[in-house]
Amino acid sequence: MKKNIMLTLLAVYVILICVGCESGNLFVSDERYSNEEVDANMDIDIFEESGEKEFASGDVFFSGEEMATDNENLISGDEANVINEETNTEEYVYNESGKIIIVMFHKFAQVENDEWTRSYDNFYNDLKYLYEHNYRVISLNDYLDNNIKVPVGCTPIIFTFDDGTKGQFNLIKNEQGELVANPMSAVGIMEKFYAEHPDFGLNGTFFINTTSFFPGEGTDEEKLNYLIERGFEIGNHTSTHINFSKASIETIKKEVGSVANLVKKLTNGYEITSLALPYGVSSKEYKSYIASGEYEGEKYENKALLLVGAEPAPSPTSEKLNLLSLPRVRARGGEKEVAYDLYYWLEIMEKNPNLKYERKS
Ligand SMILES: [Zn+2]
């Protein structure tokens, strides 16, 4: 197994060299879409990062398990049975040296005005592409718990959404006056796609701040519970989208703890287990306080800290796995070319299937 992992890593290295890694711009910030911030972080090199630098990258994973439970109401009885059969066996064999893509999304709109925005139509097409290429969406927590369950021949993929934007999710009232996800939102589109393709899964982690999230109808409580009841996960993105690089211990505790406490209070005790680092920036000295601590009498614990760029994440069984620097891959948006984005990696995976974490039998 060790030899396989080494060979795979060597192969990845060679491929990166071949595709022109000299540009080195693997890691970008999610500086709330500011170009200055993106440029400021452009010279961080992927190989430095995979050594010891703690910048960039961030991962989130979902499991398909919720789809057979919380989301049963969205699919027919027969389809639900098929999914249950798929997920009940423990005899799964995976290419455990393979990598898993954690996709990072920010904004959604009708039109892709910038590189941080995915149009609703293109997001639907992304789901279709992934489904047709045998990807299945799992939860970040199932990745973190190494509890991955996808059909034979399929590869898990994880969706993450930063900043709580309206295009990701907002509630509207339907004709009966019930609160439902706006069909013109990422959640609405994922629900539609899941109804059409229940075996794709319905998962995603939403990294929120306390300032404002998912503007629209409904209370904050209703918004969070809507997501949780359908199997989505809530993650921590700090109270005010802080840059951790110069933050004190007290500031870190407040920024992290207040999100954890708010979500717990609004959702009958939901425990956040991961944090997406704003701008992909961690604290050199006090990282342990981002991972776990206590604020206003309540403990918080983040099993994973997610970065902003720029490569697929290791297998959950990999010796290379560093949960406090989990890499993510940016979704594509707009006309501007973004290095090492989702389709860049999907193409590499297609050409080199052994790079993929995949269920073999
Ligand atoms: Zn952010």
Side-chain angles (χ1 to χ4, degrees):
M1 181 57 75
K2 269 189 181 174
K3 192 180 173 192
N4 285 341
I5 292 170
M6 289 305 294
L7 285 172
T8 304
L9 289 170
L10 182 64
V12 172
Y13 188 88
V14 168
I15 287 162
L16 285 170
I17 294 294
C18 293
V19 297
C21 208
E22 65 276 7
S23 65
N25 297 335
L26 283 179
F27 299 105
V28 293
S29 145
D30 80 334
E31 286 292 338
R32 296 266 162 135
Y33 333 117
S34 137
N35 288 330
E36 292 84 3
E37 294 290 351
V38 171
D39 292 342
N41 284 308
M42 276 310 220
D43 54 356
I44 298 165
D45 183 276
I46 185 170
F47 299 113
E48 289 177 10
E49 197 279 336
S50 33
E52 272 315 297
K53 281 199 178 176
E54 302 285 346
F55 260 87
S57 247
D59 301 342
V60 181
F61 297 81
F62 349 95
S63 132
E65 215 169 17
E66 294 92 343
M67 66 188 179
T69 54
D70 295 340
N71 299 309
E72 255 173 12
N73 57 322
L74 296 176
I75 57 182
S76 78
D78 284 345
E79 286 162 334
N81 287 338
V82 170
I83 292 166
N84 278 323
E85 279 172 21
E86 278 291 347
T87 55
N88 278 346
T89 174
E90 297 299 322
E91 303 297 317
Y92 294 178
V93 177
Y94 289 96
N95 168 20
E96 291 195 339
S97 63
K99 287 174 173 279
I100 296 176
I101 294 176
I102 301 174
V103 192
M104 176 183 67
F105 293 99
H106 281 87
K107 294 189 288 184
F108 294 85
Q110 299 270 27
V111 180
E112 293 180 357
N113 285 325
D114 60 45
E115 67 195 88
W116 300 99
T117 303
R118 197 63 172 151
S119 75
Y120 302 121
D121 287 347
N122 280 338
F123 181 56
Y124 184 87
N125 291 335
D126 292 337
L127 301 182
K128 203 160 163 248
Y129 177 97
L130 292 171
Y131 181 76
E132 287 168 356
H133 288 78
N134 293 331
Y135 287 89
R136 298 294 180 265
V137 68
I138 65 163
S139 77
L140 178 58
N141 272 315
D142 276 350
Y143 168 81
L144 298 176
D145 297 339
N146 191 22
N147 181 35
I148 295 172
K149 292 169 181 170
V150 295
V152 174
C154 287
T155 293
I157 191 163
I158 294 161
F159 291 165
T160 67
F161 304 85
D162 288 10
D163 301 339
T165 61
K166 183 169 186 165
Q168 292 172 8
F169 170 56
N170 64 90
L171 288 170
I172 57 169
K173 282 200 176 124
N174 66 10
E175 286 175 4
Q176 291 76 42
E178 302 156 336
L179 289 171
V180 295
N182 190 337
M184 298 294 261
S185 72
V187 169
I189 291 161
M190 285 189 283
E191 287 182 347
K192 172 176 153 48
F193 194 84
Y194 178 62
E196 297 163 352
H197 309 88
D199 55 328
F200 182 66
L202 182 64
N203 288 291
T205 302
F206 292 84
F207 291 93
I208 60 166
N209 316 108
T210 57
T211 41
S212 127
F213 46 84
F214 314 129
E217 297 273 355
T219 62
D220 286 349
E221 193 171 344
E222 285 167 327
K223 293 170 198 169
L224 295 181
N225 285 308
Y226 183 98
L227 292 172
I228 292 167
E229 282 163 14
R230 282 154 184 81
F232 294 106
E233 295 177 350
I234 309 299
N236 198 323
H237 202 40
T238 75
S239 181
T240 65
H241 207 270
I242 192 180
N243 183 327
F244 278 125
S245 62
K246 294 191 174 73
S248 68
I249 293 174
E250 283 315 304
T251 301
I252 290 174
K253 284 182 176 176
K254 186 178 178 191
E255 284 285 338
V256 178
S258 51
V259 178
N261 293 355
L262 177 72
V263 170
K264 214 181 280 180
K265 193 175 89 186
L266 295 177
T267 60
N268 199 22
Y270 182 91
E271 298 271 0
I272 287 179
T273 59
S274 57
L275 180 144
L277 295 163
Y279 319 109
V281 175
S282 192
S283 166
K284 280 199 169 63
E285 301 165 272
Y286 307 130
K287 185 185 277 190
S288 66
Y289 293 92
I290 305 176
S292 61
E294 191 172 326
Y295 179 66
E296 294 189 335
E298 298 278 343
K299 289 194 163 73
Y300 59 83
E301 179 154 15
N302 295 302
K303 290 190 260 183
L305 306 184
L306 285 74
L307 302 172
V308 167
E311 60 182 326
S315 153
T317 62
S318 168
E319 291 171 5
K320 290 279 180 187
L321 182 66
N322 176 359
L323 289 178
L324 299 187
S325 294
L326 201 52
R328 291 189 287 180
V329 169
R330 281 179 58 177
R332 177 173 291 183
E335 298 298 316
K336 184 176 168 184
E337 276 200 28
V338 176
Y340 311 105
D341 70 359
L342 175 60
Y343 282 89
Y344 168 88
W345 286 110
L346 289 173
E347 205 172 298
I348 286 191
M349 297 276 202
E350 287 312 307
K351 287 179 184 158
N352 307 275
N354 287 339
L355 294 180
K356 289 191 287 193
Y357 187 100
E358 182 180 13
R359 181 169 166 200
K360 295 293 191 186
S361 65

